[in-house]
Amino acid sequence: MKKNVQRHSDIEKLAKNLKFYRQKAGISQIELCIQINVTEEYVSKIERGIRTPSLKRLFKIAEVLNIEPYLLLK
């Protein structure tokens, strides 16, 4: 059970950090989805903790936001 709780916590961190850094960069969800070639729904689901991106997609998101990838998981 503890492992599942930790995973949920990690997903919440990713969701919160993505939204924070996206807004800090002044990028809308639509702009981000265009730059990483996904739907707006996909980005929205990540920010709500419903979906998790692949490692490749995580790196692309970080590149677009001009941040180090680890900041999305911190």
Side-chain angles (χ1 to χ4, degrees):
M1 182 71 171
K2 184 173 177 127
K3 190 174 187 177
N4 193 23
V5 171
Q6 180 62 40
R7 177 169 161 67
H8 182 68
S9 175
D10 291 342
I11 292 169
E12 286 178 345
K13 284 180 198 174
L14 172 61
K16 182 185 75 155
N17 289 338
L18 173 55
K19 185 173 183 177
F20 172 79
Y21 285 110
R22 179 182 58 75
Q23 290 176 337
K24 184 176 179 182
I27 298 174
S28 70
Q29 283 185 346
I30 294 171
E31 290 171 310
L32 179 59
C33 74
I34 290 168
Q35 292 189 49
I36 65 171
N37 198 30
V38 297
T39 64
E40 185 179 0
E41 179 183 13
Y42 181 85
V43 172
S44 174
K45 284 183 176 182
I46 297 171
E47 287 189 358
R48 290 182 286 139
I50 297 170
R51 268 200 89 157
T52 54
S54 67
L55 193 54
K56 182 178 179 179
R57 185 87 61 203
L58 185 75
F59 273 77
K60 182 65 178 168
I61 291 168
E63 180 183 320
V64 170
L65 299 178
N66 199 30
I67 61 171
E68 292 295 326
Y70 81 90
L71 291 172
L72 292 170
L73 304 171
K74 186 175 168 187

